Amino acid sequence: MRVLVCPQEFKGSLTAVEAAEALAAGVRRALADVEIDLCPLADGGPGTVEAVVRAMGGRFTTTNVDGPLGDPVAARWGRVDSEPLPASGKAGLGDIAVLEMAAASGLVLVPADRLD
């Protein structure tokens, strides 16, 4: 049997990757002989960088930026290599940056006592 596991994040508790791994572990406990494909999903918010970069075999980088309250924040982003365009034979675009605004200014970066 083959199972596709493709959750989105569980806001505030698990990233999409962590949720996929947890669900896969549960499936493995229930089914001994199973092939599992993990495909974490994201909608552009938190978890997008991790899902896209892992799926495309890219690499992660961290850059210090100004956060939502002006304090320094270490924002994680990714780089992926584009492939040549098969139909045209033209070269790819080189490195592609994958960013998510939540890494620099998301609500999770604002302490509860400072939300207004």
Side-chain angles (χ1 to χ4, degrees):
M1 176 184 291
R2 188 171 186 177
V3 175
L4 175 62
V5 178
C6 48
Q8 191 170 328
E9 69 170 328
F10 283 42
K11 191 168 284 295
S13 61
L14 296 173
T15 67
V17 171
E18 292 167 339
E21 290 168 350
L23 289 165
V27 171
R28 283 188 192 97
R29 278 195 300 272
L31 302 169
D33 187 26
V34 65
E35 182 180 343
I36 301 175
D37 292 316
L38 301 182
C39 184
L41 301 176
D43 63 0
T48 297
V49 167
E50 188 169 7
V52 171
V53 172
R54 285 181 186 260
M56 296 184 71
R59 58 201 176 281
F60 296 101
T61 302
T62 300
T63 301
N64 290 325
V65 299
D66 291 335
L69 301 174
D71 301 323
V73 171
R76 189 173 186 215
W77 57 284
R79 293 179 183 194
V80 296
D81 296 322
S82 71
E83 295 291 323
L85 304 173
S88 68
K90 294 181 181 177
L93 301 173
D95 270 0
I96 297 173
V98 182
L99 309 171
E100 79 187 37
M101 197 63 196
S105 67
L107 283 176
V108 297
L109 299 173
V110 180
D113 63 336
R114 301 218 30 214
L115 293 171
D116 61 10

